[in-house]
Each structure stands twice: as structure tokens, then as C-alpha cells.
Amino acid sequence: MSKSQLAITPVQECAPSPVVRPPLSAEAAVPLAAVFKALSDPVRLRVLSAVASRADHEACVCDLSEGIDVTQPTISHHLKVLREAGLLSSERRASWVYYRVEPAVLQQLSTFLADTVPGSDR
């Protein structure tokens, strides 16, 4: 078949879907990405879960090494990362530090994920 006999298929134009809500802004993505980054480690997920599973969603650092096979300094490092991401807050009581889940940050994550699910137009 020669070049002159080839059929030319017209290029179809992209028909964009209507925007039903504004997408995540660059400014809003930065702190949200930091939270997801903090949660991207399996040990940190387990540490957050260990705090959340306690009464009042609060735990002493000494309670968190139970069942997580890493050293106490490693647990402390992961707690620091979770705290810096805003997922946990901490309070010193005498010689111990207690960590508490920050529900507002978890709610923000939940809202973002719920809004991202196709068909979840609220």
C-alpha cells in the first residue's frame, strides 16, 4: 500500500468533563502530602493505631512498644514524625510523655479521601 492510499483518521477533540468542585490547590496539597508521607511507614501506622486503640485515644510512650518489634528510640522517632505531621499531640506528665490522636487532622484526611472517591459528590 502506498502512502497516497493510507486513510487518514481525523483526530477527535478532548471533551473535558465539567468540574463539580474545585480540585485540591497547591497550597492545600503540601500539608496533606506531609500527613500522607508520615502515614506511609508501616511502623508509624501501627504506632498511630496503638495510640488510637487506648482509652481516650491517648497513650504513654512506655505503652507503645508492646507488640511493635522495634527499639524504644525508634518508636520515639516515629512518634516525633507523627507529631510533626499533626497526627498526634504530646504532653509531658512528670517523667513520661503521653501522646494523643488529633481527630481534626484525621477528619481532614477522611474528608479528602471521601471527596476523591468517584460518585461521592456531596
Side-chain angles (χ1 to χ4, degrees):
M1 181 183 281
S2 72
K3 289 183 181 178
S4 62
Q5 295 174 332
L6 291 175
I8 298 176
T9 306
V11 177
Q12 294 182 352
E13 293 291 320
C14 175
S17 301
V19 176
V20 294
R21 68 178 155 266
L24 189 64
S25 70
E27 295 80 23
V30 172
L32 194 57
V35 173
F36 279 115
K37 184 175 180 181
L39 291 173
S40 69
D41 184 279
V43 173
R44 284 195 284 272
L45 279 174
R46 294 185 66 209
V47 168
L48 180 66
S49 176
V51 174
S53 67
R54 302 284 177 156
D56 298 326
H57 304 292
E58 159 181 284
C60 174
V61 67
C62 62
D63 297 329
L64 297 174
S65 59
E66 297 170 12
I68 300 176
D69 194 24
V70 295
T71 64
Q72 183 66 44
T74 301
I75 296 261
S76 293
H77 166 75
H78 289 301
L79 286 165
K80 177 185 172 193
V81 172
L82 291 167
R83 189 174 40 80
E84 288 175 347
L87 290 158
L88 296 176
S89 58
S90 62
E91 178 185 351
R92 180 169 291 283
R93 297 180 195 158
S95 60
W96 296 106
V97 177
Y98 286 80
Y99 291 87
R100 178 180 289 275
V101 171
E102 286 298 319
V105 176
L106 294 177
Q107 185 59 53
Q108 288 173 336
L109 289 176
S110 178
T111 299
F112 170 74
L113 292 172
D115 288 348
T116 305
V117 174
S120 68
D121 300 328
R122 299 197 242 177

